Amino acid sequence: MSSSSSSSSFSKSNPGRMYDVFINFRGEDTRRNFVCHLHSVLSNAGVNTFLDDENLVKGMELIQLMRAIEGSQISLVVFSKNYTQSTWCLTELENIIKCHRLHGHVVVPIFYHVSPSDVRRQEGDFGKALNASAEKIYSEDKYVLSRWGSALTTAANFCGWDVMKPGNEAKLVKEIVDDVLKKLNGEVLSIPEFPVGLEPRGQEVIGFIKNQSTKVCMIGIWGMGGSGKTTIAKFIYNQIHSRFPGKSFIENIRKVCETDGRGHAHLQEQLLTDVLKTKVKIHSVGMGTSMIEKRLSGKEVLIVLDDVNEFDQLKDLCGNRKWIGLGSVIIITTRDRGLLNILNVDYVYKMEEMNENEALELFSWHAFRKAEPREEFNELARNVVAYCGGLPLALEVLGSYLIERTEKEWKNLLSKLEIIPNNQVQKKLRISFDGLHDQMEKDIFLDVCCFFIGKDKAYVTEILNGCGLHADIGITVLIERSLIIVEKNNKLGMHQLVRDMGREIIRESLTKEPGKRSRLWFHKDVIDVLTKNTGTEAVEGLALKLHLTSRDCFKADAFEEMKRLRLLKLDHAQVTGDYGNFSKQLRWINWQGFPLKYIPKTFYLEGVIAIDLKHSNLRLFWKESQVLGQLKMLNLSHSKYLTETPDFSKLPKLENLILKDCPRLCKVHKSIGDLHNLLLINWTDCTSLGNLPRRAYELKSVKTLILSGCLKIDKLEENIMQMESLTTLIAENTAVKKVPFSVVRSKSIGYISVGGFKGLAHDVFPSIILSWMSPTMNPLSRIPPFLGISSSIVRMDMQNSNLGDLAPMFSSLSNLRSVLVQCDTESQLSKQLRTILDDLHCVNFTELKITSYTSQISKQSLESYLIGIGSFEEVINTLCKSISEGLATSEGCDVFLPGDNYPYWLARTDIQARHSNFL
């Protein structure tokens, strides 16, 4: 055995430490060159190093070797070509990794002319030698190959050094020693044992920081509890800290402020002590703020503030960027996006869930100590990973819990997790909920986690606003706190573990105060309450999902005591008796398979915001109507027996009317024209519905009209243009064959799908226009007064389009004999237009007729028409094509567009109009 005899300031500072550094290596590969040089430089730097060589330690007992490893702070593992030929090196490595797991021992791999991937995966000659070494002692230890392979992979996954080119060894040794010194001085922070997916995420933030070197850069790392915010902050700190003269990483700020009476002053002391490298004592927060401003002025520093949950914490530690020098970086980790908005940070990195492959790998490292599950546990492992939903904390906790457990124990845990979430994970996640200061925000969170996951954000906001919960701001706060997420299509989402945490909070309330449970959604609990009639006034929400063929039937009396019931969701539930027993506080009714033929008069709905009765047995909405003054959303889709709509005059605030797939619906109440707040009408697949009442076309507020599958609707009225807010018109698979001209004149239409035309309006309208055009028809009286180039369009062409571009079009019309240009006066014709016409050299060109805008067009004065319509290129091309085809087959042709007035978008004169949604 050989060890450095040099003294060490590092080991002396810790009496329990025998060595600073332990070197693990294959002697015959590196002892006389690289390792010898490395050991020498470490010794010269005052580092007490244990230099292991199997030729020198043959007589050592394993327990003595373990003490040497445990007595060191850092292990340098030098992987070389023949490393795995030594069973001693491999046994030593196995114990190094064990010390890392148990005591946080730092492991630094050095790849000496061997590929890191070969070490990580045990491939090539490196892997063959490993198998050969394992075979030597297989009879004594059948699992040795698995353990050594796991140790090699684990070590190779740590950040280390790659020695490939011999000429750079001296420089690299110096860099390694410098890194060791920093680690011994505590400048390098410990990161998780299995940093799966960490590097690419960290490098994304580092890439942004590198481009901000001339300013004070403030970075926010935001995400839910357990998502890895602190870990990524430590990774970034380790990567960039060396270039900053002053640095400080302040961890667990929230916890310090909650448990330390001196809170902010204590944090200020730590910040100044770290950066100034001298002990600082702070007597008050005001004093600390003043000292930070004065002592850090002009200094280039790196400051990490971890787990911030109050703005005052930020204000007292880095309240003003002017306090520190240019080039400084401040990194803040938080669950609250709102804090980062207030501080106006330069960049926010949002912690996303791990993808499926990353999650499975991280879980496997903790559960199996390798990168993938054992074959017999593969399906179970994937089920646990699905439960964890890509949350690193959950993957680590459950993986560590399941290591070396039986298949039966795995299955029992999964069953248990469905009912009682893992306590360690829940405790971490609950911090965000407990941090909500407003009871309304807590109520919104609990409502969403029980009833509204997957529902449209605007829909939920309306309902909860109707409950008096101020959901506009409340949902925003919950999103900022990472308790709710907004997924695609504006749907509210929530991490499964966060959802379970919220539901567990409700279960706890039942344990503490029996009968006080506010929300019922667990199937067994709801059945129990409704059958035993044990509902209480505390119940605010109830959800029960039964199968379509269920025969369960409940009495309305079971709801009598639930006088505060706001939210009711029933799927295929049969309820008999007096519906007057339902709460008068109902704001949301989602009752799929509503069992009655009409809504009873006793069912009090006057405060309801949304009624969703899909798949109902309704024949009529009601026999005796009541005024539903707050109703905004009505969905009666898939009601197979519904024959007519309700009297809409009783629904004055209705905004969304959805009646999809109601095959017997044939009557729309004329009062639909009274719905001045209506935004959406959806009558998809109402196959018995005939043409709409004329008053339906007078709805100025409607933005979306969907009639697809209404087979009996054969026309859309011309007065559809009165629907001045209409942006989406969909009428696929109907009897409508012709698009009304007034649709093209609409100032709002953005998307259209009617009569075979489908797409954005500005793409579809040219084809619609072309469908109206006929080169054989010649009813002169139907030619609209806008034919030709109006004066406004001449001005636009001059300024923005260059009329010279039209010359090739004119030249191609060999039979052209006259052009009609409509202007107020001849002087309005530009010199450019005259030049174009003069340069055409059309032999048959005989007449340039100038008329006023309102002049009548005489058949005798023209034999063919050229229509100029501004800079709308696609329509120009459409018309030119039509004219050219007509002239190719006859001596002249007339081209016209039907209607009495020109579409507004053909005469737009502003240049921006061309790039709008409609041009």
Side-chain angles (χ1 to χ4, degrees):
M1 181 176 67
S2 171
S3 64
S4 172
S5 59
S6 61
S7 62
S8 171
S9 59
F10 305 109
S11 53
K12 285 180 181 179
S13 66
N14 186 345
R17 183 186 300 164
M18 298 167 57
Y19 305 99
D20 298 315
V21 174
F22 183 100
I23 302 181
N24 165 257
F25 68 105
R26 176 73 162 127
E28 66 182 54
D29 286 351
T30 60
R31 179 165 53 87
R32 296 185 182 277
N33 43 58
F34 179 79
V35 170
C36 180
H37 186 193
L38 176 62
H39 175 250
S40 175
V41 177
L42 284 169
S43 297
N44 291 336
V47 179
N48 188 9
T49 307
F50 181 94
L51 183 65
D52 171 32
D53 184 338
E54 63 176 303
N55 295 323
L56 299 177
V57 295
K58 292 273 187 185
M60 282 189 72
E61 296 290 337
L62 184 60
I63 189 169
Q64 292 175 296
L65 186 63
M66 277 296 296
R67 286 173 182 168
I69 296 172
E70 289 178 5
S72 303
Q73 184 175 348
I74 299 171
S75 281
L76 299 179
V77 181
V78 184
F79 292 115
S80 56
K81 182 179 179 181
N82 298 311
Y83 181 92
T84 49
Q85 291 181 7
S86 170
T87 58
W88 184 266
C89 283
L90 292 165
T91 301
E92 200 171 79
L93 176 64
E94 185 182 347
N95 285 285
I96 287 171
I97 297 302
K98 185 180 294 184
C99 281
H100 167 76
R101 289 171 180 156
L102 294 175
H103 311 298
H105 185 80
V106 178
V107 182
V108 179
I110 300 171
F111 303 96
Y112 187 80
H113 300 292
V114 65
S115 168
S117 64
D118 285 350
V119 178
R120 187 178 296 112
R121 302 173 184 172
Q122 297 94 57
E123 294 179 339
D125 292 338
F126 194 88
K128 291 177 182 177
L130 173 67
N131 290 325
S133 294
E135 287 178 4
K136 294 177 183 178
I137 56 175
Y138 179 78
S139 58
E140 302 173 21
D141 188 348
K142 295 182 179 180
Y143 301 103
V144 67
L145 179 62
S146 174
R147 294 201 314 274
W148 283 349
S150 175
L152 286 165
T153 303
T154 300
N157 278 333
F158 290 116
C159 293
W161 304 87
D162 195 353
V163 186
M164 295 300 292
K165 297 180 180 179
N168 293 327
E169 284 188 15
K171 179 183 177 183
L172 189 61
V173 165
K174 183 180 184 304
E175 291 176 357
I176 293 171
V177 172
D178 287 343
D179 182 54
V180 167
L181 292 172
K182 289 174 182 177
K183 286 179 167 64
L184 291 171
N185 281 314
E187 291 186 358
V188 176
L189 304 173
S190 175
I191 59 175
E193 178 181 357
F194 308 112
V196 177
L198 181 58
E199 179 141 1
R201 289 169 171 83
Q203 291 298 342
E204 183 176 333
V205 180
I206 292 171
F208 179 85
I209 293 173
K210 286 180 178 178
N211 295 322
Q212 308 294 313
S213 58
T214 60
K215 59 183 286 190
V216 175
C217 178
M218 200 169 282
I219 302 290
I221 300 176
W222 167 59
M224 64 186 290
S227 60
K229 300 183 296 298
T230 301
T231 299
I232 195 173
K234 287 181 176 180
F235 174 84
I236 296 166
Y237 180 92
N238 287 344
Q239 296 294 312
I240 69 174
H241 77 274
S242 58
R243 74 175 179 87
F244 295 91
K247 65 211 73 169
S248 178
F249 192 108
I250 306 179
E251 202 165 352
N252 295 321
I253 289 176
R254 174 193 54 79
K255 186 175 181 179
V256 170
C257 291
E258 289 175 356
T259 59
D260 189 330
R262 296 183 64 243
H264 292 205
H266 176 87
L267 296 172
Q268 290 173 331
E269 283 180 353
Q270 182 181 342
L271 174 62
L272 287 168
T273 298
D274 289 347
V275 173
L276 301 176
K277 296 181 175 65
T278 184
K279 185 67 176 177
V280 175
K281 186 66 176 176
I282 301 294
H283 299 292
S284 69
V285 174
M287 173 187 174
T289 302
S290 179
M291 285 188 68
I292 291 172
E293 182 177 2
K294 291 177 181 178
R295 300 293 298 276
L296 301 190
S297 178
K299 292 185 182 296
E300 188 176 359
V301 297
L302 169 63
I303 299 173
V304 180
L305 306 177
D306 173 59
D307 197 15
V308 175
N309 70 324
E310 297 286 349
F311 179 68
D312 283 348
Q313 297 161 357
L314 295 171
K315 184 180 68 174
D316 293 339
L317 292 168
C318 61
N320 195 324
R321 299 185 196 215
K322 295 179 181 178
W323 292 357
I324 54 181
L326 299 180
S328 294
V329 175
I330 299 173
I331 299 173
I332 301 158
T333 76
T334 182
R335 303 173 185 220
D336 188 351
R337 173 65 186 260
L339 294 178
L340 303 177
N341 294 338
I342 294 171
L343 209 57
N344 194 27
V345 299
D346 300 296
Y347 178 80
V348 176
Y349 182 82
K350 180 183 178 184
M351 297 299 300
E352 302 286 355
E353 295 178 1
M354 304 184 89
N355 63 44
E356 185 178 349
N357 291 333
E358 290 175 330
L360 184 61
E361 181 181 351
L362 179 60
F363 175 78
S364 297
W365 279 119
H366 286 278
F368 306 105
R369 294 299 187 247
K370 59 180 185 176
E372 64 281 325
R374 282 163 44 191
E375 186 175 351
E376 64 270 29
F377 284 91
N378 184 59
E379 185 177 352
L380 286 169
R382 291 181 181 277
N383 289 339
V384 176
V385 168
Y387 170 79
C388 294
L391 186 69
L393 173 68
L395 294 164
E396 293 171 14
V397 169
L398 295 181
S400 299
Y401 174 80
L402 288 166
I403 190 169
E404 297 182 359
R405 293 189 182 271
T406 66
E407 183 177 349
K408 182 178 180 180
E409 289 174 312
W410 278 65
K411 291 179 178 178
N412 286 341
L413 175 70
L414 278 168
S415 299
K416 179 182 175 183
L417 287 174
E418 292 178 3
I419 304 172
I420 306 172
N422 184 275
N423 183 58
Q424 286 179 268
V425 178
Q426 294 301 311
K427 187 181 295 185
K428 185 82 171 179
L429 296 176
R430 182 156 180 171
I431 293 170
S432 295
F433 177 82
D434 291 337
L436 297 172
H437 301 300
D438 191 323
Q439 184 58 44
M440 287 186 181
E441 293 166 3
K442 292 183 177 181
D443 283 336
I444 292 170
F445 170 74
L446 296 176
D447 283 344
V448 172
C449 78
C450 292
F451 306 112
F452 294 120
I453 293 175
K455 300 293 185 183
D456 181 79
K457 179 187 174 186
Y459 175 81
V460 177
T461 300
E462 287 281 8
I463 293 166
L464 297 183
N465 278 343
C467 296
L469 293 178
H470 303 289
D472 297 277
I473 182 64
I475 288 178
T476 300
V477 169
L478 295 173
I479 292 170
E480 291 175 346
R481 298 290 180 91
S482 303
L483 289 169
I484 290 178
I485 57 176
V486 179
E487 299 175 328
K488 62 181 181 180
N489 299 326
N490 209 39
K491 306 293 186 184
L492 292 183
M494 187 177 290
H495 193 285
Q496 180 174 324
L497 293 173
V498 175
R499 181 205 66 186
D500 292 347
M501 178 266 291
R503 294 181 176 183
E504 185 63 19
I505 289 171
I506 298 169
R507 288 194 186 99
E508 287 176 7
S509 67
L510 180 62
T511 303
K512 294 175 182 177
E513 299 180 79
K516 294 295 184 181
R517 189 162 172 178
S518 59
R519 293 158 183 87
L520 297 169
W521 78 94
F522 191 59
H523 184 87
K524 183 177 179 299
D525 293 345
V526 179
I527 293 290
D528 190 59
V529 167
L530 294 183
T531 54
K532 296 179 181 179
N533 201 3
T534 55
T536 69
E537 189 174 351
V539 178
E540 297 180 42
L542 182 147
L544 175 62
K545 184 174 184 178
L546 298 174
H547 193 271
L548 179 62
T549 58
S550 172
R551 295 185 178 182
D552 288 321
C553 185
F554 310 99
K555 295 181 178 180
D557 295 353
F559 293 90
E560 186 175 8
E561 296 301 321
M562 304 181 200
K563 299 186 184 302
R564 296 172 57 196
L565 186 66
R566 301 178 285 113
L567 310 172
L568 177 63
K569 178 176 173 57
L570 300 172
D571 283 8
H572 309 293
Q574 303 292 318
V575 178
T576 61
D578 185 2
Y579 277 48
N581 286 311
F582 282 97
S583 167
K584 292 180 170 54
Q585 301 300 316
L586 280 173
R587 297 295 179 266
W588 177 58
I589 300 174
N590 186 321
W591 195 332
Q592 291 206 46
F594 184 74
L596 306 184
K597 295 180 179 179
Y598 53 86
I599 295 176
K601 185 178 181 180
T602 57
F603 197 1
Y604 186 88
L605 304 175
E606 292 186 14
V608 175
I609 305 297
I611 296 177
D612 187 337
L613 304 181
K614 293 192 291 288
H615 299 282
S616 76
N617 288 317
L618 292 173
R619 270 66 170 172
L620 302 173
F621 186 65
W622 46 32
K623 281 189 175 181
E624 298 181 60
S625 59
Q626 54 179 302
V627 177
L628 307 188
Q630 304 304 316
L631 188 67
K632 293 187 176 183
M633 291 158 277
L634 178 61
N635 190 341
L636 305 178
S637 297
H638 315 293
S639 295
K640 303 296 184 181
Y641 308 105
L642 187 68
T643 58
E644 59 183 78
T645 68
D647 179 350
F648 293 111
S649 65
K650 308 295 184 180
L651 316 175
K653 292 188 178 180
L654 193 65
E655 295 179 358
N656 295 327
L657 176 61
I658 305 173
L659 298 172
K660 296 191 296 182
D661 185 30
C662 296
R664 299 187 185 184
L665 180 68
C666 58
K667 182 179 179 181
V668 177
H669 199 279
K670 62 182 180 181
S671 61
I672 191 169
D674 297 330
L675 296 176
H676 302 302
N677 297 302
L678 196 60
L679 303 173
L680 165 69
I681 301 175
N682 189 344
W683 278 314
T684 300
D685 293 330
C686 291
T687 52
S688 298
L689 187 62
N691 291 323
L692 306 182
R694 282 187 168 270
R695 291 202 64 197
Y697 295 102
E698 299 172 3
L699 294 166
K700 298 183 183 300
S701 59
V702 170
K703 294 183 177 181
T704 302
L705 175 61
I706 305 175
L707 302 171
S708 297
C710 296
L711 303 178
K712 291 189 177 181
I713 294 182
D714 59 9
K715 68 174 181 177
L716 299 174
E717 300 292 342
E718 285 288 347
N719 64 342
I720 195 173
M721 67 177 297
Q722 294 183 55
M723 303 178 80
E724 56 189 37
S725 300
L726 190 65
T727 59
T728 302
L729 173 61
I730 303 176
E732 300 171 350
N733 193 26
T734 66
V736 175
K737 301 300 181 185
K738 182 179 179 182
V739 181
F741 178 65
S742 56
V743 168
V744 182
R745 296 175 56 201
S746 169
K747 296 183 179 182
S748 60
I749 197 76
Y751 180 86
I752 187 170
S753 180
V754 179
F757 301 101
K758 181 178 181 179
L760 296 176
H762 65 276
D763 295 327
V764 173
F765 282 170
S767 299
I768 293 176
I769 292 171
L770 184 60
S771 73
W772 296 334
M773 297 164 58
S774 170
T776 58
M777 295 179 64
N778 194 24
L780 185 64
S781 62
R782 293 181 60 187
I783 297 175
F786 75 95
L787 278 176
I789 304 176
S790 71
S791 57
S792 63
I793 295 172
V794 169
R795 285 196 299 273
M796 183 176 70
D797 286 343
M798 286 167 48
Q799 297 170 7
N800 302 321
S801 299
N802 187 356
L803 285 178
D805 294 341
L806 295 176
M809 181 185 72
F810 287 136
S811 301
S812 67
L813 304 179
S814 58
N815 292 326
L816 181 66
R817 286 185 289 279
S818 65
V819 176
L820 171 64
V821 181
Q822 289 183 269
C823 301
D824 292 335
T825 65
E826 184 176 356
S827 63
Q828 291 178 339
L829 288 175
S830 69
K831 291 181 181 180
Q832 187 177 9
L833 178 57
R834 288 181 177 278
T835 301
I836 291 171
L837 296 177
D838 290 340
D839 289 346
L840 288 177
H841 304 298
C842 296
V843 176
N844 295 323
F845 180 75
T846 58
E847 183 177 7
L848 170 63
K849 187 171 182 62
I850 302 171
T851 68
S852 69
Y853 184 76
T854 58
S855 295
Q856 296 296 316
I857 300 174
S858 169
K859 171 95 189 238
Q860 288 72 28
S861 65
L862 296 171
E863 292 186 41
S864 58
Y865 309 127
L866 176 65
I867 305 173
I869 50 175
S871 299
F872 191 22
E873 182 179 359
E874 195 164 356
V875 178
I876 282 277
N877 293 339
T878 298
L879 295 172
C880 290
K881 180 180 179 181
S882 177
I883 292 170
S884 298
E885 290 174 352
L887 293 178
T889 57
S890 62
E891 293 185 356
C893 75
D894 298 326
V895 181
F896 64 90
L897 302 179
D900 298 326
N901 297 295
Y902 61 91
Y904 86 100
W905 46 269
L906 296 183
R908 294 286 293 273
T909 59
D910 55 293
I911 190 169
Q912 290 84 3
R914 304 182 211 178
H915 307 292
S916 72
N917 289 331
F918 311 114
L919 284 182

